[in-house]
Amino acid sequence: MSVVADLHLHYVQACQSLSQPENPFIARVLQEADKNDEISTKGITLKLAGNNHLVPVPRVTDDDLAVLVSVLGQAAFVTGLDLAYNLLTDAGAKTMATFLQENSTLQYLNLMFNNIGTSGAELIAGALHSNQTLLHLRMTGNRIGNQGGMFFASMLKINSALKKLDLGDCDVGLWCLIATAIALTQNKSLKAINLNRPLLSTQQEETTVHIARMLRSNSSLVELHLGKHEMKNFGVERLCDALYENSTLRYLDLSCNNIICDGAKFLGELLRKNQTLEILDLDANRIEDVGAIYLSEALATRNRTLKALSIVSNNITGRGLVALAQAMHSNMTLSHIYIWGNKIDRSTCAAFSELIVVERLQPDCTDVAPYKVDGEIVLAELSHGLAKHRYWSPRCAAAAPSAANASLEIVPV
């Protein structure tokens, strides 16, 4: 780490030399960073996200970014940059791409939900052909399109440093997903990838077939997000067949698909034999009671590796939810379970209340909390879940980060 510089002073000077007005939000964040005594030994992430609802801030523009990177060029202790929910466009992406080619210390870059398009994606992906320090890139919510996603797929064949890549909600398409799957058969460094909500024009599940084929040979991927892929039981079966041969994947996200009880049966059979999966997200499918019972039987009798299960909004009634609660009494490994959005009845309230009372289930590890109304136990919803770490972080002490970000952080950077 280099000697600590006065970031705020340098920012003011840079604004003057570039004839750019100061952004008070950036100025305040840099002033706070200057007060950090451990900045030179531990590094720092500058949190410039524009979605702070408690304290509205002026969002970062392309011109603001140009001034900021001119300051950070000499600040080797800045190892992370959070620019989510700002007003950056392809012009800002060009500035950032140049910075990535010249910078040798930045490890984390969050550009989620800006206005970066295909040309901006090409520039950033191109910069990562040579950059060997960035470990985690979040492009979520930028409309880079299928072609923009193809640039990142090509990058994955070359880059050997990146550990986590987030391309969720980026409007990528069929050919991008296929190209990414092919790239990941060669890439040996990427640990986590988010491919949520592609724009698919086919119902044939070709993308799932290619991703399953990749999982048979990939030995590095730990976390995989495939939410909103319109996946059906056919696709789930292909993935499960591949995961019998995969010994590294620990987090599988299949939320918001078209999986019913037969798909849950394939997953239940997988859980009986798989020894690596730790987190399974099935939010917003329709596995119903039959599917929940398939999962509970596997968890109660054979599986001892799964730590977190989310079956939120799956049209499950008390019969299936109670079966899962009972499975937790015999399975001591499963520590996180999320059930809200199903048909919670009295038996469900009693079963999950008991789990919490006897401390088998910790309050921070589920999305329900028991309380009494006229002597009867009911469940209230808590703001906990697996997906929130991708889009939200608590802004005040009232929300515990560990509960809101319950992905267990299996790929820390």
Side-chain angles (χ1 to χ4, degrees):
M1 295 290 181
S2 66
V3 178
V4 178
D6 191 329
L7 290 174
H8 179 248
L9 176 61
H10 288 178
Y11 176 68
V12 172
Q13 294 173 343
C15 286
Q16 292 172 349
S17 64
L18 295 172
S19 299
Q20 173 69 21
E22 292 181 35
N23 182 313
F25 178 38
I26 296 177
R28 177 166 58 83
V29 170
L30 296 183
Q31 283 178 320
E32 292 174 355
D34 287 335
K35 298 175 184 177
N36 189 334
D37 295 331
E38 298 181 334
I39 191 173
S40 62
T41 56
K42 294 186 177 181
I44 190 172
T45 294
L46 296 180
K47 297 182 179 180
L48 294 163
N51 64 330
N52 191 333
H53 299 295
L54 296 180
V55 183
V57 296
R59 300 195 178 196
V60 179
T61 66
D62 295 333
D63 292 336
D64 291 329
L65 182 62
V67 179
L68 179 62
V69 298
S70 71
V71 175
L72 299 184
Q74 302 302 318
F77 47 82
V78 176
T79 57
L81 195 53
D82 183 351
L83 292 165
Y85 296 96
N86 281 299
L87 303 174
L88 303 179
T89 67
D90 290 339
K94 182 177 181 180
T95 300
M96 184 53 64
T98 302
F99 180 66
L100 288 173
Q101 289 175 320
E102 300 171 350
N103 183 276
S104 60
T105 59
L106 199 69
Q107 299 178 29
Y108 170 72
L109 177 59
N110 186 349
L111 296 173
M112 64 190 292
F113 290 100
N114 279 279
N115 298 313
I116 298 172
T118 301
S119 60
E122 180 180 11
L123 292 166
I124 291 174
L128 294 180
H129 283 215
S130 56
N131 180 288
Q132 291 297 309
T133 56
L134 193 70
L135 302 178
H136 186 182
L137 174 63
R138 304 187 73 178
M139 293 293 294
T140 327
N142 289 287
R143 296 183 177 181
I144 65 175
N146 189 69
Q147 187 57 50
M150 293 287 284
F151 292 124
F152 281 103
S154 298
M155 176 273 295
L156 289 174
K157 294 181 179 180
I158 300 171
N159 183 287
S160 60
L162 200 65
K163 303 296 183 185
K164 299 177 75 170
L165 176 61
D166 194 334
L167 296 178
D169 295 279
C170 282
D171 293 353
V172 301
L174 171 68
W175 294 110
C176 168
L177 294 180
I178 293 176
T180 301
I182 293 172
L184 290 177
T185 61
Q186 306 171 26
N187 184 293
K188 305 300 180 184
S189 60
L190 198 73
K191 301 293 183 184
I193 189 165
N194 179 2
L195 297 170
N196 285 350
R197 210 220 71 189
L199 299 182
L200 301 176
S201 58
T202 174
Q203 297 290 320
Q204 300 303 311
E205 299 198 67
E206 298 101 319
T207 57
T208 310
V209 172
H210 282 272
I211 290 170
R213 189 176 299 161
M214 174 273 294
L215 287 172
R216 292 179 184 274
S217 59
N218 183 286
S219 59
S220 61
L221 204 62
V222 173
E223 179 174 339
L224 176 61
H225 296 274
L226 300 174
K228 300 180 182 177
H229 274 238
E230 300 183 26
M231 192 182 303
K232 304 178 184 65
N233 297 329
F234 172 82
V236 175
E237 185 176 15
R238 303 285 82 73
L239 288 177
C240 289
D241 288 344
L243 288 174
Y244 284 113
E245 302 177 29
N246 182 290
S247 60
T248 57
L249 195 72
R250 293 159 59 191
Y251 186 169
L252 178 60
D253 173 10
L254 300 178
S255 60
C256 304
N257 280 294
N258 298 319
I259 301 169
I260 60 173
C261 58
D262 289 342
K265 181 178 181 180
F266 296 132
L267 289 166
E269 292 170 351
L270 173 68
L271 290 176
R272 292 174 183 273
K273 298 180 180 180
N274 183 279
Q275 299 298 313
T276 56
L277 269 183
E278 296 180 6
I279 304 174
L280 178 59
D281 189 346
L282 291 173
D283 281 9
N285 283 284
R286 200 175 180 85
I287 68 170
E288 301 184 325
D289 287 340
V290 175
I293 291 171
Y294 281 137
L295 296 177
S296 66
E297 290 174 348
L299 292 170
T301 59
R302 301 293 294 273
N303 184 278
R304 291 298 180 268
T305 56
L306 198 72
K307 296 179 180 179
L309 172 66
S310 186
I311 38 90
V312 170
S313 299
N314 266 272
N315 201 39
I316 305 171
T317 70
R319 177 167 164 253
L321 294 172
V322 170
L324 287 167
Q326 291 173 343
M328 291 193 71
H329 285 291
S330 57
N331 184 326
M332 295 294 112
T333 307
L334 187 66
S335 57
H336 295 66
I337 187 166
Y338 305 96
I339 66 167
W340 191 259
N342 291 294
K343 298 179 180 179
I344 296 174
D345 59 7
R346 289 183 177 180
S347 62
T348 305
C349 295
F352 278 85
S353 175
E354 180 186 1
L355 287 174
I356 294 171
V357 169
V358 301
E359 298 184 348
R360 170 62 190 88
L361 183 59
Q362 298 300 316
D364 284 353
C365 299
T366 186
D367 58 350
V368 293
Y371 69 102
K372 284 189 176 182
V373 176
D374 296 331
E376 184 174 328
I377 297 175
V378 294
L379 297 178
E381 181 185 12
L382 296 178
S383 217
H384 302 166
L386 290 178
K388 288 197 171 182
H389 72 288
R390 295 201 297 275
Y391 303 106
W392 177 85
S393 60
R395 298 291 179 180
C396 57
S402 60
N405 303 320
S407 70
L408 307 185
E409 294 295 333
I410 60 173
V411 187
V413 171

